[in-house]
Amino acid sequence: MYIKTKSFQITPKELGALLTVDYYRRMKFFFILFAILLVINIVVSVLQNRFDWWLIYSVGLGAYFVSLPLFFQPRKRNSTLNFQNRYCEIDENFFAMFYEDGSIVKLNYSHFMQVIKKADYYFLYMTKAQFHYLPVAAFESEKDIHRFDLFLQSKQLIKIW
């Protein structure tokens, strides 16, 4: 298997938007549950005509979790290489990225702990916070995407189903 992608690039703003959407998608259940419990407690407090300070604390905590993506600053957390124009070469042994400035990053698949695939991109995680971004649009064909998915599944890095 050998796959070569087209050149691609992501800006810090685009990466920040992707991370924000991913955060809200993962936290959706928590936000819904928290909002329902908060509304129930506010209604009970109003009906009983009393004021609970812990409601203010919980509203503050909820505001913190909702505003957390505002603190994502991809430019500070990622190398400047991640925002350069690049392309990838993928084979059975290595995942290689060739950057516009001539830099090359060649990784063995054992360096990846997990790969998350969304509709438009892959996040190839090396640690919980460090990842490489690979857009699906960078692949030449659907066949290459499918081969890459099956290869990642064989390495137990991704679950397709």
Side-chain angles (χ1 to χ4, degrees):
M1 173 189 79
Y2 175 79
I3 299 171
K4 182 177 179 182
T5 67
K6 298 182 247 182
S7 292
F8 62 92
Q9 182 177 8
I10 190 165
T11 65
K13 188 175 184 178
E14 290 170 338
L15 185 59
L18 286 177
L19 293 174
T20 300
V21 168
D22 186 53
Y23 170 78
Y24 285 132
R25 197 175 288 144
R26 285 186 289 123
M27 297 295 285
K28 178 174 52 175
F29 177 74
F30 172 75
F31 289 144
I32 291 170
L33 181 65
F34 186 77
I36 290 170
L37 292 175
L38 192 62
V39 167
I40 289 171
N41 285 314
I42 290 172
V43 169
V44 167
S45 293
V46 168
L47 292 177
Q48 292 179 353
N49 199 18
R50 67 173 190 191
F51 179 77
D52 290 329
W53 281 100
W54 66 269
L55 280 175
I56 292 177
Y57 296 133
S58 59
V59 167
L61 183 66
Y64 170 75
F65 282 117
V66 168
S67 65
L68 198 58
L70 298 175
F71 301 115
F72 292 158
Q73 294 183 359
R75 186 173 296 240
K76 290 183 180 178
R77 298 179 86 196
N78 291 309
S79 168
T80 56
L81 279 178
N82 290 332
F83 303 116
Q84 287 187 15
N85 196 20
R86 62 191 177 270
Y87 68 92
C88 298
E89 290 183 2
I90 303 163
D91 64 19
E92 293 85 12
N93 300 316
F94 296 102
F95 181 86
M97 288 179 286
F98 296 86
Y99 292 91
E100 184 176 51
D101 67 354
S103 301
I104 300 171
V105 174
K106 195 170 188 179
L107 299 166
N108 192 322
Y109 290 99
S110 63
H111 291 112
F112 296 120
M113 50 182 278
Q114 181 183 17
V115 176
I116 295 180
K117 180 184 180 185
K118 300 295 181 181
D120 298 332
Y121 58 89
Y122 293 90
F123 281 149
L124 297 108
Y125 283 92
M126 295 180 298
T127 65
K128 286 187 176 189
Q130 187 180 10
F131 61 88
H132 289 285
Y133 166 80
L134 177 63
V136 171
F139 287 94
E140 295 287 338
S141 67
E142 285 287 325
K143 182 180 174 185
D144 287 345
I145 296 169
H146 184 67
R147 286 181 18 211
F148 185 58
D149 285 343
L150 289 176
F151 179 73
L152 290 174
Q153 187 181 19
S154 73
K155 294 284 188 181
Q156 298 178 346
L157 293 171
I158 192 172
K159 291 181 182 171
I160 294 179
W161 41 33

